[in-house]
Every structure is written in C-alpha cells, then in structure tokens.
Amino acid sequence: MQKGSLRVSWPGDNHPRSVGDDGSSRPSSSKNLPENRHQLVEDGSVYTKQTAESGNGLYAAREIAAKSQLIFVTRPLLVALETSKLQTTCYACFRSPSDSDWPVTVDKHHSLKTCSRCKVVKFCDQKCQSQAWSQYHRLECNLYSKLHPRVLPSTVRAIIRLLKQYKAGMLPDGEWEQLLALESHQEDFAKAGGQRWQDLLIMMQGIKGYSGTDESPDLILRLVCVLAVNSFTLTNATFDSSGLILHPKPSLLNHSCEPNAYVRFDVSSSTYQQGFPTLGSISVHALRDITKDEEVTISYVDTTFPSEKRQQELRDRYFFTCQCGFCAKGPDTAQDSYHLSPGSSLKSAIGAKVREIGQEADQVFLSMEANAGLEHEHIDEIRAAMSRLAKTGAWPIHRYPWPQLRQQLLYGLLGSNRFAEALLHSAVFVRIIHPVLFEQEHHPIRLVQMWTFWNLSRQCLETLMQKDNPSDKDRQDIRTLGVLNCVTIDHIRQISNQGDQPKGRLERMVDRAFEEVQQEGVFWSEYLRNRAEIRRTAWLWVDNQIKALLKGEGVRQEIVDRGLARVPG
Ligand SMILES: C[S@@+](CC[C@H](N)C(=O)[O-])C[C@H]1O[C@@H](n2cnc3c(N)ncnc32)[C@H](O)[C@@H]1O
C-alpha cells in the first residue's frame, strides 16, 4: 500500500550540463561490459527537449494511448535498499517473503539466505546470489564485511557501488555521462544550507573515505545532489517502499500536479514474459491519452495535497515554483475547496476555526507519519482528529489531511487484525474519496486500493467461513461477501488488464486471484447468472455500510450523499 507520492526523493544545485566535465580520466564503459550488463532501454515513444523553464524534459514522439508503456528500463543505474529492508528483502530481485505480493507458488515461510562473507545482505536462492555477485556484490562485499554490524546509509551504498562499477568499466554505455548531465541543484542546496546541506556533505565525505575512490570530492558531492533530486522511491506492486532507484532516462521526466504519466518498478521486460516478474525495472506508463509533442510529466509530490502544500514541497525539495494548469486553478479544485455556506469565507471567524482544526489534524498526521508502522498504537488519536474535522461540517472528506488520517487508521486497523473495520475504511476510499481525487479508474493508487479492498473482503469472508456455528446473520454475510468478492475481482481485472501492455506483478496477482475465485465456483456461478443485478446490490450493500460508518464519524449526511452520487453502481 502506498503511503507517499508516486515519485519521492530528497531535495537538491548547479547546472552541470556539460558531459564528463569533471576532469577525471574515464574508463571505456562498454569495452569491459559483461554480457549480462547490457542495458535494455525502450524509449522510442519519447524525445528529449530543453526549455528555459524546466530544463530537459521528455516529450511524446507520437500519439500515446492511455495506459501504454512509454519507457522501459530493464535495470536501474543506481539502486539501494533501505537499511531496515536488508534483513527482509532479497538483495537481487527485491522480493520479500513478507510481501503481500510474494508469489503463492513460493513458500511464505521460506527464509532468505544471508551472504556468508559480509553477513549484511540476503538472497532468495543461489540464482539471485550469483546474479548479484557477478553484477555488483563482489565489488562491495569486503567493505560491508569490514563494517559489519554497522551498515552504511542507502545513498552512500548506492554511490559507492556506482563508483566501483564505473572504475571496473561495468556501466552500460553512456549512462555515467547521462547521470552527470542531470540537474543536481548543487548551488541551491549550498545556498539553502542548514542540516540538509550538512547531511549531504557528510555523505560525500563518507563515500570518499569508504570507497577509496580517486574521484574528486566535488564530483562525489554532485552525485549525492543528483541522487537527491532525481531518485525514485523503489516500491513493490502495492506501493510498499523499500529503497531508492535511479536511471537517467526516466529521471528526465519533469513534474506536473496533473501528470499524464506514472512510474512503476514491477513490470517485466516485453521480452521476458515467463515466470513471476521481479522488482527493479523502471517503466513509465500513460495515465491518459497524450498528444504528439506534448510533454510527458509525472508528479513528484502527493497530488491530493492542497496547492500551497504541494508548492512548498516542490520549492523546498526540487527548487522550482510549479506553474502547471492544476496549480493555476487555485481554490477551485477538490484539493483546495471547503464546504462553506454561501456568504461565509475562510477569513470569517468560522473559517478561521475550521482552518485551526485543520492545522491540528495536520500535526496529528505528521506525527503519525514520523511513527510509521506504529499506527495501531494510535488508533484513538487518529479517530479523534478525524472526528474534529467531521464536526466542522465544512471539511470535505477528500481534503487533506482527512484521507491521509483515514489511510493511517486503515494501517492501524490492519496492524491490529481488525479486518472488518479496515474493509469499511478501504470502501470509503474506493467509493467516495478516490473518484474525486483521481479521475482515471486505472490510476495506480485507485487500483491498489481496490486490490486492498478485495483482499480485505476475502479475509472477512474466510474468517466467517471458519466459524463453527455460524448464525443466520453470518450466513447472510458470507453470501454477501462471497458475491462482493466476485464483483470486485472481476472489476479490477477488467481495469487492470485492458490492452496488450506487458504485465507487472499487480496484474499477475489479480489474474491469479481471478482464477482462484472462478475455481471456487459457488459464488462465481451465482454472479454469472446475473452480473448487472448482483453488481448493483453488492455495491448498494457496501454504500449502506459506508453511510452507517460515516454517520458514526459525524460526517454530514449531504456530504456522504454527494460523495456516493459520483460513483456508478
Ligand atoms: C528530476 S529532474 C527533471 C529533469 C530536469 N529538468 C533536468 O534537466 O535534468 C527535477 C528538476 O527538474 C526541474 N523541474 C521539474 N519539473 C519542473 C517544472 N514543472 N517546472 C520547473 N522546473 C521543473 C527542477 O529543476 C527539478 O528540480
């Protein structure tokens, strides 16, 4: 499940546009390139163009249909797992036995094998270990072993590996130069100063000292800044983050708060269709139709934030003021409006009170974010902040930070195994919040939430079916959840499987779930007998549950009705 934006990295100055101008002698990268380091980059749908406003960007070379894949990079130039994930994630394919998308064909209790030399990294099997060893781990294993049990931060590990691969002539042709040509904002970072600049300097010194590189401190600092501005958060099919990842091609994508594309890391190469896809490729997909010569954009920040918050984050982390069409709409967007009665304004006494309550809820959200993973210990606190927002009567249910608090409540309920309650909060996203915030039904965040909803309905169904002496109400709920399961998986499959695009792990999980539901038979046969009517009654049941939940939260009836009026049955 995703907690942040589609693109997340850290802040970033200087415009080192000239290629290879760092003064050091360069090994020829292609001469020593082992066969398996040949890079596969499919990018025929885009071209690069530079503008005065946003530097280099990618533009559509032809008409591009919604959901098409525009760019595919087999493997990143830089990648590093978060330190906390090294113990639980395979160092080669980035899968984890605890992942919700771990293939069922692989034993869930399967444990990863630790590298016997460094004792820091782990692998699924011999194949993953050999692949990692030949491509990078042999360059860093000794260093990790010397430092063990200390582990270097992910950015430091990523750059040390890159420098060693570069020196060994192992980088794919041209990628080092492309990396150095990316925006680094090195001067802006220096000018902004503060703790962040100090951290970047410390990283640079650490890399210089630990790698034994003869590259200059200035070049290393530039690499650190390039990473801060250009890396993506590596996420699995359901948006759980596990590290950072970068390739210079997709890093050329500029930002819009109303993007026409998004990035994912779980798609297999079109030439590799067998088996279950691993993580770690980078692919860019169209959110909507893109016209020839239109700029392809992604969002660097959470587009559900109000404009002021988005602008602030973009200025602080990426050093620009967003001038996209969405920001130009000002307070008219769903992200920025309030439910205020005619005549009242945010400047009135009531408006000021509403804003104050919003700021308090913001603080609760931020403190929860800082305690990610511990949401289950703060369920009451999250509920109280949500209830205060509801009581204003003016706070839209889809306005920041209410959805974010609801998402944390959902995590908390999952963490406490309270699946029935979690199901209802997931339903609020699927039916009311996401249709307002994300226009396309195939938007990855909507799809993943629908997938969560399906999994939760399945979990609730299984719990009920395991009861020894089910009551009449239980039997009725079993039937309702059984057909809801069919309705939902059929719907997700239709949305996720349109077109003949290469499949990612999400699509494969959906396919497999679809087959399972069909094979189980009972509810599926009932569903097939009258799909339209069953769909209608299943969603009506969900909507009635949502109404009861939101009424209990103190949300005004008309706000709920208005929300539900937007979604089809
Ligand atoms: C990941 S890089 C994108 C590629 C970059 N334009 C380049 O030339 O290397 C991010 C940087 O691009 C610029 N940028 C991205 N989106 C922008 C936008 N909408 N308006 C202005 N500058 C933008 C900012 O300098 C930002 O820090």
Side-chain angles (χ1 to χ4, degrees), residues 7 9 11-12 15 17 48-58 178-179 181-185 188 226 229-232 248-257 295 297-298 300 314 317-324:
R7 179 195 183 96
S9 67
H15 300 261
R17 299 257 156 239
T48 307
K49 191 171 95 179
Q50 193 172 42
T51 63
E53 300 75 39
S54 46
N56 284 320
L58 296 177
Q178 290 161 18
L179 181 73
L182 290 172
E183 180 59 82
S184 74
H185 285 297
D188 291 327
V226 163
V229 177
N230 293 279
S231 63
F232 296 90
K249 189 75 199 188
S251 287
L252 285 175
L253 288 162
N254 284 321
H255 162 89
S256 165
C257 299
E295 179 165 18
T297 53
I298 56 171
Y300 296 179
L314 291 167
R317 294 174 53 179
Y318 299 96
F319 302 100
F320 71 92
T321 301
C322 186
Q323 313 216 316
C324 73

